[in-house]
Amino acid sequence: MTVPRDFQEPPRSRPDLVIGREDLFTAAREQLGRGGSVLLHGPAGIGKSTILRALAADYGGSARTVLRCSATESESHLPFLALADLFGLVLDEVSGQLPAAQRTALESALTGRGESTLQRDGLALRLAVLSALRALAAGGPVLVVADDLQWLDAASAELLGFAARRLGDTPVQMLCAVRTEGQEYDRHLRASPPDTLAVRLGPLSRTQVSALLDHRGYTPLSRSTIRDIHRTSAGNPLFALELGRALAESPTRPRPGEPLPVPTSLRALVLSRLEMLSDEARRTLLVASAGARPTLALLHAAGREHAEAETAQAAALGLLATEAEGPAVRFAHPLISAALYAEAPAQERRAVHAALSTAASDPIERARHLALATTGTDPEVAARLAEAAALALDRGAPSVAASLGLLAARHTPADSVPGPDERRLQAAEDAITAGEADLARDIARDVLTRATVPAERVRAWMVVIEAAGQALGEVDAVFPQVLADAGDDPGLLALVHYQLAWRGLVVEGDFAEARQEAEHAAELAARGGDRRTELMALSFQASTETLMGHPGAPATVKRALREPQDPYVACHHNGAGSARFRWLIMSDRLPEARAVITALLREVRRRGMVESEVHFLRFLADTELRTGHCGRALDLARESLRLARDAGIGEGASAMLASLAEASAGDVDRALALAREAADHAEVDGDQMYLSRALAALGYAQLVAGDPAAAVRSLRRVRELEHGLGINDPARGRWHGDLAEALVRIGEPGEAQDLIDTTRAHALRLGRESVLAVLDRAEALVRAARGEHEAALVRLASVRDRLGRLGYGLEEARAAFALARLRDRASAPPRTGGTPLPGPASYDEAARLFRRCRALPWLRQVDAAVAGGSTAVEPASVAPPVALDALEGLASMERQVASLVMEGATNREIAARLFISVKTVEATLTRVYRKLGIRSRVDIVRLAAGRRTN
């Protein structure tokens, strides 16, 4: 018998569940599949019931019987209510199989026709529940689904716990959810079957909250608003959805600097305890809710004389978190603070801000509170806010600067100089720097509805174009309008032609047109006296010429680096420093490239330039990948991708580089998925330049995955795209060797040789030594395919040494691997009666080099070659990479330090390579020893050799 239930169709909320819960859901489903039980726990609103329903829908079909109960707080005093929900529909089926005493006790408890109690019928009732479950299980598996265990009546909870502990091998599983704070699930776990898996649901990340809101249709919300929702909800999905719904339905958005409006549905959840506070304590908490970083000292300075006693009273009620030490006043949940502020009358809020405008020590905070305490326009308040915005920008907080700039605009009289719209545009430009493109675009379009001054209109159009990112095709219609607004002003035209250069590259896919537009923009900017735009245009021209293989690239780089420099341009991801980095890395000057990009990354982090940070993390990851530090490259690439997804900028480019890093040091399946994601981004944006990069990453991942035919298809398309783009420098994408190798593998050595010859001509002209070495490696494979084994062996040995000298660690390891495989095949007994080639055929060197690089996917290929080959090798090289497995439990920095020790690096050398102090290296090694259960560097070296330590 199957009990009718509402779990048979997939729940409509299923898409919500997988957002941020994929791993937890999979673990719970696998536990149920193994015959175990699951206990979901976490705070209110965290999504337990949603996952419970979805798991029941997924797994319930395999159970013959599903028993369900869902308790409520208002009914928790009614004895045996949950028991009646569970067994009411199956009582007739099981009652005949129970002993008389048990049947009587159970029927009395479920029907209320009697006075059954745990005190009088305790043993009979306990045994009756156990017997009923066993009887049901005799006919097939039973699934007990219980939601909100915390509200289960005490009698039902006791009976279920008794049975659960004694079910043994009976095919009865429990799927339960309980509201907990911290680790309070222990007593519920003790009342569950012994094989129960406890799954705690934690808060969602900002990216996951954004995806959840987007799925529910709350798409008009800006990223800055989503950031506020995430902070206020603390990642709780129910709270986030309620806040998002309230904002989406509200005709007006909160003013800059104000907390989010909290809907009535959430206020009731958090404000009930406020009624137990005294009026004075409530006013003190209101001051704390309005402060950015409230402390007892700040509360005193704002006039709250009895702050200690009043905050202690609030902490006792659970409104404030109790701090063991430190002066901070912290709310138990951010929603309490937001609800308290939203509940207060506007006049009372202004009074609180007025008090804080003199009490706060930080000038930025004082200005913000002054603005929120002031109604109407006030030139003095506006000026103080503008000064505070400039200070915030200088401190590296452009998001704060944008918020303060909008407040300044609101308080600026219409006839002031600068005017309100000029201040709004400055706020929009600060929002661009902070990575809040949607906020910037909204501000600029608002200004365009009023602005008549050409300079303001062009400036606003520039923000709209910048906010489009790589999707310049979406704003293509803007360019005729902005050219008309610019008139014949060379300074304004320079801004337009700089963006037209980007359009030529991204939308038209024409490097020659892009270069000409950038050159023209630089000339116009010089005539107009706009040094910043001149430098940006020169930097763009230099980067374009570098990618084209244009002979003028070095000279243009030098022009872009001439004084006077602009600090913003110097560290911008499209500025002069970035252009120099591209030229260095394509010229095989890897140590200099690393130094340049490391310094740039440090500076943009100091300035809070989010988009530049995304790109520079990617550039540094690319550098580390080329030098063979694949583990560090993977960490950096993942960090870039996380930041890109969080900010909504540079996602395609970061996914592309993350794909390359995953294929080299991580998970090849993930590499394939990321490359396809990057290609999709580029296709949607109409960005042919990054489409070719994404397809090159896809081809590389396909080659590593052992699918050369797919790699050929992807990389042939890259060749077509780059030919159309006018890209002639093979150092730009470095895909040519991969395509040649894949062509050899599918039996097309002739096409491979043609590709090598064509590419070599460009590489020789430009002096790309590493590209030439990789092409020689590919040509050796062509020769081997044609039977020229001796020549191929000589060429591969030379290539390996050349790549090692140039510092391309991963490419060196690939050459060593190709050499070992060729020797392996050549040393095997020939099928045609010839003689095998002399010389050792060992994979030791390739394994050592790949291990040094932490190139795990390539190491697996070495293991497969050893296992499938005919050559005897040393046990240490045949053994699985014990060291790498052991390092997986370490933190990122610990893994890097341990890997370098395995290579034989000293502490000082490790410090230099990782840009940390020797003391940090020593402290990190101490943690490594403790975690690995070893005593010294010698033990790490033993791990590297695949031997056990004592």
Side-chain angles (χ1 to χ4, degrees):
M1 170 186 175
T2 300
V3 177
R5 55 194 183 271
D6 57 358
F7 297 130
Q8 297 205 346
E9 60 178 7
R12 288 187 294 273
S13 57
R14 179 64 181 273
D16 288 357
L17 127 78
V18 298
I19 296 173
R21 306 299 192 197
E22 299 88 345
D23 292 344
L24 295 179
F25 184 81
T26 300
R29 187 167 52 188
E30 289 175 352
Q31 170 74 357
L32 291 170
R34 289 190 293 266
S37 297
V38 174
L39 175 67
L40 305 170
H41 66 100
I46 207 67
K48 303 180 297 299
S49 296
T50 301
I51 294 187
L52 184 86
R53 287 193 295 271
L55 284 169
D58 259 25
Y59 187 72
S62 62
R64 176 182 178 271
T65 305
V66 176
L67 308 176
R68 176 178 180 260
C69 70
S70 182
T72 63
E73 184 177 11
S74 62
E75 298 169 340
S76 60
H77 66 286
L78 300 174
F80 305 121
L81 183 61
L83 201 66
D85 288 340
L86 288 170
F87 292 102
L89 295 176
V90 296
L91 182 59
D92 292 342
E93 179 183 353
V94 300
S95 61
Q97 303 177 52
L98 302 181
Q102 294 179 22
R103 181 173 61 250
T104 301
L106 185 60
E107 289 177 346
S108 176
L110 297 186
T111 62
R113 293 193 300 269
E115 303 210 359
S116 182
T117 66
L118 273 181
Q119 284 86 3
R120 192 180 71 182
D121 304 314
L123 182 58
L125 269 174
R126 288 173 172 84
L127 293 175
V129 172
L130 181 58
S131 298
L133 289 172
R134 286 174 174 165
L136 290 170
V142 176
L143 178 65
V144 177
V145 182
D147 198 3
D148 282 318
L149 284 184
Q150 75 278 3
W151 304 132
L152 232 64
D153 63 275
S156 297
E158 166 62 25
L159 294 171
L160 272 180
F162 176 87
R165 293 189 293 270
R166 290 164 175 80
L167 286 169
D169 295 332
T170 307
V172 176
Q173 296 169 262
M174 297 185 70
L175 173 59
C176 305
V178 61
R179 181 187 300 180
T180 58
E181 296 293 340
Q183 301 297 314
E184 299 168 1
Y185 66 92
D186 284 354
R187 65 185 179 90
H188 298 286
L189 194 60
R190 288 193 294 271
S192 303
D195 59 351
T196 299
L197 172 69
V199 177
R200 176 166 178 77
L201 276 66
L204 299 180
S205 68
R206 189 195 306 180
T207 303
Q208 291 163 350
V209 165
S210 176
L212 181 62
L213 293 167
D214 185 62
H215 168 70
R216 285 299 183 89
Y218 302 141
T219 49
L221 302 175
S222 69
R223 289 191 177 273
S224 57
T225 301
I226 290 172
R227 180 194 61 207
D228 291 341
I229 289 175
H230 180 257
R231 184 179 61 241
T232 303
S233 68
N236 184 295
L238 172 65
F239 297 171
L241 286 170
E242 285 297 296
L243 290 167
R245 180 187 59 77
L247 281 166
E249 293 175 355
S250 173
T252 59
R253 297 291 164 86
R255 296 186 302 178
E258 287 187 345
L260 295 175
V262 180
T264 305
S265 59
L266 291 184
R267 292 188 200 185
L269 286 175
V270 298
L271 293 181
S272 57
R273 283 171 289 181
L274 282 175
E275 297 174 358
M276 303 173 68
L277 283 176
S278 65
D279 290 343
E280 290 301 310
R282 185 167 179 151
R283 290 192 189 95
T284 295
L285 288 196
L286 178 60
V287 175
S289 73
R293 293 174 296 278
T295 61
L296 289 172
L298 178 67
L299 295 177
H300 280 298
R304 308 311 302 163
E305 297 179 1
H306 306 292
E308 286 89 349
E310 289 158 357
T311 55
Q313 182 187 356
L317 292 172
L319 295 165
L320 295 179
T322 54
E323 299 285 351
E325 53 187 47
V329 175
R330 187 168 62 85
F331 284 88
H333 192 285
L335 192 61
I336 298 173
S337 173
L340 179 63
Y341 187 91
E343 193 78 4
Q347 185 175 355
E348 191 173 351
R349 291 203 298 259
R350 284 197 296 272
V352 165
H353 285 297
L356 288 170
S357 69
T358 57
S361 59
D362 185 81
I364 293 176
E365 274 301 291
R366 287 200 300 271
R368 183 179 75 88
H369 288 301
L370 180 62
L372 295 174
T374 305
T375 57
T377 60
D378 187 318
E380 184 178 344
V381 171
R384 285 184 58 181
L385 285 163
E387 291 170 3
L391 179 59
L393 191 63
D394 187 59
R395 288 182 181 178
S399 180
V400 175
S403 176
L404 292 168
L406 289 174
L407 282 171
R410 183 158 60 87
H411 290 289
T412 301
D415 57 351
S416 293
V417 178
D421 279 345
E422 188 171 349
R423 283 183 165 145
R424 288 187 183 95
L425 288 173
Q426 180 61 56
E429 290 162 357
D430 292 340
I432 287 284
T433 302
E436 297 179 7
D438 45 3
L439 173 62
R441 180 179 52 248
D442 291 346
I443 297 169
R445 289 201 176 277
D446 175 59
V447 170
L448 284 166
T449 61
R450 295 181 302 273
T452 56
V453 178
E456 286 188 356
R457 291 190 60 81
V458 170
R459 192 175 171 189
W461 284 125
M462 290 302 102
V463 171
V464 172
I465 294 170
E466 285 276 358
Q470 296 295 117
L472 282 175
E474 296 179 2
V475 292
D476 216 22
V478 163
F479 287 99
Q481 301 177 56
V482 69
L483 279 169
D485 285 333
D488 56 2
D489 186 314
L492 298 180
L493 285 170
L495 294 169
V496 183
H497 283 278
Y498 173 69
Q499 294 296 345
L500 283 170
W502 277 104
R503 180 189 177 278
L505 185 63
V506 174
V507 178
E508 299 296 333
D510 190 331
F511 270 70
E513 178 187 338
R515 177 189 170 278
Q516 290 173 2
E517 287 286 4
E519 188 175 28
H520 186 40
E523 293 169 357
L524 287 167
R527 281 167 43 199
D530 183 353
R531 181 61 174 165
R532 173 173 290 189
T533 302
E534 181 187 6
L535 288 170
M536 290 294 286
L538 285 170
S539 300
F540 181 86
Q541 181 185 342
S543 295
T544 306
E545 290 174 348
T546 299
L547 297 174
M548 293 172 67
H550 192 284
T556 309
V557 171
K558 289 181 180 178
R559 285 180 62 199
L561 291 169
R562 283 178 191 162
E563 297 294 339
Q565 280 294 311
D566 182 293
Y568 174 81
V569 176
C571 65
H572 191 275
H573 60 279
N574 289 322
S578 184
R580 180 166 180 255
F581 163 78
R582 289 188 181 94
W583 182 77
L584 286 169
I585 200 168
M586 293 176 69
S587 301
D588 297 324
R589 295 165 68 172
L590 297 182
E592 291 176 75
R594 181 195 280 119
V596 167
I597 201 61
T598 301
L600 287 171
L601 179 59
R602 187 183 304 117
E603 180 62 15
V604 298
R605 280 175 166 166
R606 187 188 71 80
R607 290 172 171 266
M609 298 169 67
V610 175
E611 185 174 6
S612 293
E613 183 180 356
V614 168
H615 289 293
F616 289 158
L617 280 167
R618 179 169 57 85
F619 292 171
L620 183 54
D622 189 18
T623 309
E624 298 293 359
L625 202 57
R626 295 184 190 218
T627 53
H629 300 146
C630 299
R632 175 161 168 73
L634 182 59
D635 290 340
L636 289 164
R638 286 173 174 173
E639 184 181 354
S640 174
L641 184 58
R642 281 195 300 270
L643 185 59
R645 285 176 171 165
D646 192 35
I649 50 179
E651 292 179 76
S654 293
M656 175 273 299
L657 203 284
S659 171
L660 291 172
E662 291 283 355
S664 299
D667 185 295
V668 179
D669 288 337
R670 180 164 169 75
L672 292 166
L674 285 168
R676 292 187 178 103
E677 177 189 331
D680 288 344
H681 273 291
E683 294 271 22
V684 169
D685 292 343
D687 185 346
Q688 296 183 62
M689 182 175 66
Y690 267 111
L691 178 59
S692 71
R693 296 296 305 275
L695 290 173
L698 178 60
Y700 173 67
Q702 289 164 334
L703 186 65
V704 177
D707 190 353
V712 167
R713 289 193 296 272
S714 298
L715 295 174
R716 277 175 175 164
R717 191 177 175 200
V718 175
R719 181 174 58 188
E720 295 168 3
L721 283 168
E722 294 206 351
H723 178 74
L725 288 166
I727 297 174
N728 295 314
D729 193 333
R732 185 251 182 178
R734 304 182 65 86
W735 50 266
H736 311 76
D738 292 335
L739 176 54
E741 181 176 338
L743 285 166
V744 172
R745 290 194 195 180
I746 67 168
E748 296 287 351
E751 183 181 344
Q753 188 64 59
D754 291 343
L755 171 67
I756 291 167
D757 292 340
T758 303
T759 308
R760 182 179 282 133
H762 291 298
L764 283 168
R765 176 175 61 84
L766 296 166
R768 302 307 191 213
E769 290 297 326
S770 64
V771 174
L772 288 168
V774 169
L775 291 173
D776 284 351
R777 183 184 71 205
E779 188 170 48
L781 300 179
V782 173
R783 290 191 175 189
R786 291 172 173 169
E788 303 171 21
H789 291 94
E790 290 191 32
L793 287 170
V794 171
R795 177 66 62 89
L796 283 172
S798 171
V799 165
R800 179 196 59 194
D801 295 341
R802 285 161 58 197
L803 287 167
R805 287 194 298 272
L806 288 168
Y808 284 78
L810 182 58
E811 298 291 1
E812 177 191 6
R814 288 180 64 180
F817 186 30
L819 180 61
R821 282 196 293 194
L822 185 55
R823 282 175 173 163
D824 195 6
R825 289 195 297 270
S827 63
R831 297 178 182 177
T832 58
T835 58
L837 288 174
S842 170
Y843 288 91
D844 287 357
E845 178 68 1
R848 182 185 70 82
L849 292 173
F850 281 133
R851 190 176 295 116
R852 184 182 71 182
C853 294
R854 281 191 51 76
L856 302 182
W858 287 103
L859 263 173
R860 295 185 194 107
Q861 291 194 31
V862 174
D863 290 340
V866 170
S870 59
T871 305
V873 291
E874 293 294 324
S877 58
V878 179
V882 178
L884 296 172
D885 292 342
L887 299 189
E888 288 305 313
L890 302 179
S892 173
M893 178 62 72
E894 293 165 353
R895 287 200 309 272
Q896 294 175 56
V897 170
S899 297
L900 291 173
V901 170
M902 290 176 180
E903 297 172 24
T906 65
N907 286 2
R908 189 170 297 280
E909 289 169 342
I910 294 170
R913 287 174 68 173
L914 298 182
F915 305 100
I916 57 178
S917 68
V918 174
K919 285 187 177 181
T920 301
V921 174
E922 293 168 350
T924 304
L925 276 175
T926 300
R927 294 195 299 272
V928 169
Y929 299 155
R930 184 174 64 251
K931 288 184 178 182
L932 296 183
I934 59 179
R935 298 179 181 178
S936 67
R937 296 170 63 96
V938 175
D939 290 334
I940 294 183
V941 175
R942 287 174 179 162
L943 279 176
R947 295 193 294 271
R948 293 184 179 274
T949 58
N950 293 327

